[in-house]
Amino acid sequence: MPIFWLFLIVLAIAAVGFVIGRQRALQSAGGDSRGLHSLPGYYGWNVALKAMVPAFGLMVVWLLVQPIYVSSTVSGMIPESAIAEGSSMGLVMAEVRRAAEGLDSAVAAGAITEDFARNARADVADVTQRLKDAGQIVTSQITQPVLRAAQEYRILNNTGNLVMSGLVIAIALAGALYALRETNAVFRARNVVEQGVRALLIAAASIAVLTTLGIVLSLVFNTIEFFRLYPASEFFFGLNWAPSFSGRGGASDLGILPLLWGTLYISIVALLVAVPIGLFAAIYLSEYASRRLRAVAKPAIEVLAGIPTIVYGLFALLTVGPLLMEVFGKEGLGWMQSGTSVMTAGLVMGIMLIPFVSSLSDDIINAVPQAMRDGSYGLGATQSETIRQVVLPAALPGIVGAILLAASRAIGETMIVVLGAGAAARLDLNPFEAMTTVTAKIVSQLTGDADFASPEALVAFALGMTLFVITLGLNIFALYIVRKYREQYE
Amino acid sequence: MYDAPHTAEMKVNQKEIKFDCRDCQVYYGDTHAIKDVSVQIEDKTVTAFIGPSGCGKSTFLRCLNRMNDTIDVARVEGSFLLDGENIYDKKVDPVQLRAKVGMVFQKPNPFPKSIYDNIAYGPRIHGLAKNKTDLDDIVERSLRRGAIWDEVKDRLHASGTGLSGGQQQRLCIARAIATEPEVLLMDEPCSALDPIATGQVEELIDELRESYSVVIVTHSMQQAARVSQKTAFFHLGNLVEYGETGQIFTNPVDPRTESYITGRIG
């Protein structure tokens, strides 16, 4: 039975339970809802929840456990000898799964009968031929152990699904019946629903946290795998980035320093653009602009934050790069070799970051109490003196937080770098040279055709992990500063 | 408005007029907040503004150093003569004016800087100190006049926000004194303070009278009676009565004043 149908059946049981539970509660109070502890709807929800939650819980657990159980049972059936030279258990199991799917589809298409698919003594060549005739893609020759395993795999899965369907429906019914039995006028259905809502919210929050954990773990294991293949000291202190793709390992230089340097250099240029412009814009908007101008200008600046970074990348490649070439290129000062450079990417990234800095700073400057400004004006200070000497120092921790958040955004940026800064990993001080960043290299390492188990591909995870640690550090630092600032005024 | 019944006695106490305000009107948008107020504030005197909440006494106080300029919708009319010069005249710089007419606010608002920098803020802006020693002197003198020197002299470089409420308010008063103003406006300076701190600030106000003209807005009638020599009673944007404090509290002319003082309107 498809999972979808099972899902619908449980929902239907819950829906029916809702209606009956509601009625039953009303009956127990003699048809007068004022005699009930809770509103009638709560009794309905109580029944529906008790039908759904355990049933769906079992379903999820079963769906997680069954593939693991089936795989381990079936792989136990395959003898060591069946695994060909240069192959592995994983590959053979993939073949088993493909064969099982082939059998499934062939049965569904009517090319073979269920009995035939299950026939353990069937001739391997015959089955292969029939599957091919039925339009199923199978490896050239299914071996006897693989066919046996595939048949066993199908049987186990089918029985598993059947048992699961039965159990889930039974539990849903049992839950509904149990809830209906406890439904009477004094039962506190409202409190049960309250707990249900709470559990739902906790579940949503934990999924968000667990996902973060999962992302970190997936990075960690691959990073550890990388460091087993490639010495960590050379990764962290190597001055050269030259992965070899043809050699499949061995001859690669995978030093992170040129990439980190490129990342930091481009980020610094970006911040040098974004921080003054964003901060001054924020000061103007919060201190000088009239309310009407502010209502128009603030959203207009925030539009910049809504532009996809790939569009910024195109802007860098097609407009800013050629523009810089005219001034600093061969025709002009001669410092620039091509349109892609640290400057190009940094300038465009700076523009992208303006709304981050301005919007956050604007909020923070507005949060400085009016009493501070009054105090300063009352002493005969002008507006700019007040801003420079009272408002900005008071808002400084928050502004630093905003800048750090913008910085971690800059460090993680990819598309603008790919299009604007070039792909050459280089340790250089000239901002008109092409350089590249950690993120851009992660993309190029994973989109190549390198073997996934080679250090050239795995280095992407180590790079990602390094980047993650850096931006996490920045974010925590930013949050710490912002929080410290909040305590001062609230 | 104030028809002095004891003209002879008045003449003896007659002091120089610091602020001469005539026919003053203030509008907040469409609201007419101050109506036809005329008042003469004397030099080296504490003048108290009393009246129920929303009667316009704070608004009028803020007119005296043009703090209402920072509110977009506020509009001020009438003549405010400070030593014979209209402070709303075009050639008067409100920034310069505020250095001459200092202000202390309802809630203590020390800047998030050190105690020293809080006091030195005004002198630095207006270039009152020739050098570091001079500035040190100004800071010490102001803190002494603010009656807070002994409490903070060992921690001048600690943050001003770390002081207690009463200390903060005295710091703010010292900060206002540091720019050597001629008039000191105080908008309910004790409303956020406990009785002990209030007592200290009131004592301080009494001392300040020797050198400044002090105008204080207060909700506490006892406070007005304790610290002021002149009292003005505001009601619904009008100046109802203005005169010697003793006379206002013991023998008010207007029935509204009497009702307010005895607690029947508020």
Side-chain angles (χ1 to χ4, degrees), chain A residues 371-372 376-380 389, chain B residues 95 98 105 109-110 113 121 126:
Chain A
M372 292 290 136
S376 176
Y377 294 146
L379 290 169
Q389 302 197 28
Chain B
V95 170
R98 289 185 201 129
F105 298 85
N109 57 349
K113 299 169 179 281
Y121 184 78
H126 300 294

Side-chain angles (χ1 to χ4, degrees), chain A residues 308-482:
Chain A
T309 54
I310 186 78
V311 176
Y312 278 112
L314 292 176
F315 179 60
L317 189 66
L318 300 178
T319 312
V320 177
L323 216 67
L324 286 175
M325 272 301 274
E326 264 177 42
V327 183
F328 301 102
K330 289 186 197 85
E331 313 289 306
L333 293 166
W335 297 344
M336 208 169 167
Q337 303 303 319
S338 74
T340 51
S341 70
V342 168
M343 212 52 172
T344 317
L347 285 178
V348 174
M349 205 190 280
I351 295 168
M352 179 193 82
L353 293 177
I354 288 172
F356 284 86
V357 177
S358 79
S359 185
L360 277 171
S361 306
D362 182 58
D363 291 345
I364 289 154
I365 290 172
N366 272 327
V368 174
Q370 182 62 30
M372 292 290 136
R373 296 186 186 92
D374 283 349
S376 176
Y377 294 146
L379 290 169
T382 63
Q383 201 163 9
S384 76
E385 283 166 347
T386 302
I387 290 163
R388 206 172 56 239
Q389 302 197 28
V390 175
V391 177
L392 283 187
L396 193 65
I399 291 171
V400 170
I403 292 171
L404 288 177
L405 287 179
S408 60
R409 187 65 216 252
I411 289 170
E413 177 48 44
T414 314
M415 281 334 291
I416 295 175
V417 178
V418 169
L419 293 177
R426 194 192 317 253
L427 271 170
D428 202 326
L429 278 174
N430 183 358
F432 296 102
E433 283 285 355
M435 282 184 209
T436 195
T437 64
V438 176
T439 50
K441 277 302 158 199
I442 292 179
V443 173
S444 66
Q445 289 311 102
L446 284 183
T447 47
D449 56 356
D451 178 6
F452 213 73
S454 71
E456 282 78 15
L458 285 172
V459 71
F461 295 99
L463 291 175
M465 193 72 203
T466 313
L467 209 57
F468 176 77
V469 170
I470 291 174
T471 48
L472 184 74
L474 272 179
N475 279 349
I476 290 174
F477 188 52
L479 281 179
Y480 165 76
I481 284 178
V482 169

Side-chain angles (χ1 to χ4, degrees), chain B residues 11-170:
Chain B
K11 279 221 174 90
V12 177
N13 293 336
Q14 193 69 54
K15 285 179 180 161
E16 200 185 324
I17 303 291
K18 194 74 191 169
F19 255 116
D20 189 1
C21 309
R22 292 194 188 277
D23 304 325
C24 303
Q25 321 279 345
V26 180
Y27 302 89
Y28 286 124
D30 295 331
T31 320
H32 195 172
I34 296 283
K35 299 161 193 160
D36 292 325
V37 170
S38 298
V39 70
Q40 284 158 356
I41 293 161
E42 295 170 1
D43 199 11
K44 303 203 192 320
T45 306
V46 178
T47 308
F49 289 175
I50 60 170
S53 293
C55 68
K57 54 195 186 312
S58 287
T59 299
F60 188 71
L61 189 78
R62 291 167 65 93
C63 288
L64 297 181
N65 70 344
R66 293 186 61 172
M67 279 302 276
N68 286 328
D69 289 13
T70 59
I71 301 169
D72 291 337
V73 293
R75 192 155 52 82
V76 180
E77 288 171 9
S79 79
F80 293 81
L81 302 180
L82 173 64
D83 293 330
E85 191 186 15
N86 191 351
I87 60 171
Y88 281 87
D89 196 285
K90 278 209 176 65
K91 52 180 201 271
V92 171
D93 177 10
V95 170
Q96 286 300 320
L97 171 74
R98 289 185 201 129
K100 247 192 318 188
V101 184
M103 187 152 193
V104 175
F105 298 85
Q106 183 172 359
K107 249 177 82 184
N109 57 349
F111 303 134
K113 299 169 179 281
S114 72
I115 291 168
Y116 184 94
D117 288 336
N118 261 285
I119 303 294
Y121 184 78
R124 276 184 182 143
I125 283 178
H126 300 294
L128 299 182
K130 283 198 291 289
N131 50 40
K132 180 84 172 72
T133 345
D134 211 14
L135 190 61
D136 289 347
D137 284 348
I138 293 178
V139 169
E140 180 176 344
R141 201 164 58 233
S142 307
L143 286 170
R144 278 189 196 283
R145 301 219 52 185
I148 191 179
W149 170 253
D150 289 335
E151 289 155 69
V152 300
K153 64 180 177 204
D154 299 324
R155 46 170 175 157
L156 286 178
H157 295 281
S159 172
T161 50
L163 298 171
S164 75
Q167 287 174 325
Q168 285 189 11
Q169 192 62 302
R170 277 178 287 150

Side-chain angles (χ1 to χ4, degrees), chain A residues 124-358:
Chain A
V124 178
D126 182 28
V127 172
T128 314
Q129 193 52 48
R130 285 213 193 198
L131 283 180
K132 277 183 177 162
D133 291 345
Q136 295 305 319
I137 302 145
V138 286
T139 34
S140 54
Q141 188 64 49
I142 297 179
T143 57
Q144 187 68 39
V146 168
L147 180 63
R148 286 286 305 124
Q151 287 173 331
E152 184 64 22
Y153 182 88
R154 286 190 68 223
I155 292 164
L156 278 176
N157 262 341
N158 283 345
T159 353
N161 284 345
L162 208 66
V163 173
M164 177 186 74
S165 304
L167 272 182
V168 165
I169 291 173
I171 283 184
L173 284 173
L177 284 178
Y178 173 77
L180 281 173
R181 271 177 64 92
E182 67 184 1
T183 299
N184 59 48
V186 293
F187 179 70
R188 298 179 181 178
R190 195 181 178 199
N191 306 20
V192 174
V193 173
E194 195 60 36
Q195 278 173 357
V197 170
R198 192 185 136 113
L200 179 77
L201 299 180
I202 290 175
S206 15
I207 285 174
V209 173
L210 287 178
T211 313
T212 316
L213 207 68
I215 292 173
V216 173
L217 283 181
S218 77
L219 280 178
V220 165
F221 287 123
N222 284 305
T223 306
I224 292 171
E225 181 64 25
F226 169 72
F227 284 133
R228 281 215 325 230
L229 296 170
Y230 194 87
S233 59
E234 283 181 37
F235 173 71
F236 284 116
F237 302 110
L239 295 177
N240 198 15
W241 174 268
S244 82
F245 282 105
S246 52
R248 290 284 148 112
S252 294
D253 277 337
L254 300 173
I256 194 176
L257 285 181
L259 304 185
L260 268 187
W261 170 244
T263 304
L264 292 181
Y265 204 178
I266 292 175
S267 301
I268 287 169
V269 172
L271 288 177
L272 283 180
V273 173
V275 169
I277 297 180
L279 194 55
F280 291 166
I283 291 173
Y284 174 73
L285 283 182
S286 60
E287 298 285 324
Y288 288 90
S290 70
R291 199 171 295 175
R292 272 175 56 202
L293 181 69
R294 191 180 138 89
V296 179
K298 205 178 173 197
I301 289 179
E302 279 162 7
V303 164
L304 281 177
I307 298 175
T309 54
I310 186 78
V311 176
Y312 278 112
L314 292 176
F315 179 60
L317 189 66
L318 300 178
T319 312
V320 177
L323 216 67
L324 286 175
M325 272 301 274
E326 264 177 42
V327 183
F328 301 102
K330 289 186 197 85
E331 313 289 306
L333 293 166
W335 297 344
M336 208 169 167
Q337 303 303 319
S338 74
T340 51
S341 70
V342 168
M343 212 52 172
T344 317
L347 285 178
V348 174
M349 205 190 280
I351 295 168
M352 179 193 82
L353 293 177
I354 288 172
F356 284 86
V357 177
S358 79

Side-chain angles (χ1 to χ4, degrees), chain B residues 226-264:
Chain B
R226 280 196 299 265
V227 299
S228 71
Q229 287 76 52
K230 299 279 247 177
T231 297
F233 171 62
F234 285 78
H235 188 238
L236 302 176
N238 295 302
L239 178 63
V240 175
E241 194 165 350
Y242 177 51
E244 297 288 325
T245 299
Q247 184 252 325
I248 292 262
F249 279 98
T250 53
N251 188 20
V253 177
D254 196 287
R256 285 174 290 177
T257 314
E258 194 188 350
S259 306
Y260 180 70
I261 290 168
T262 52
R264 267 178 283 149

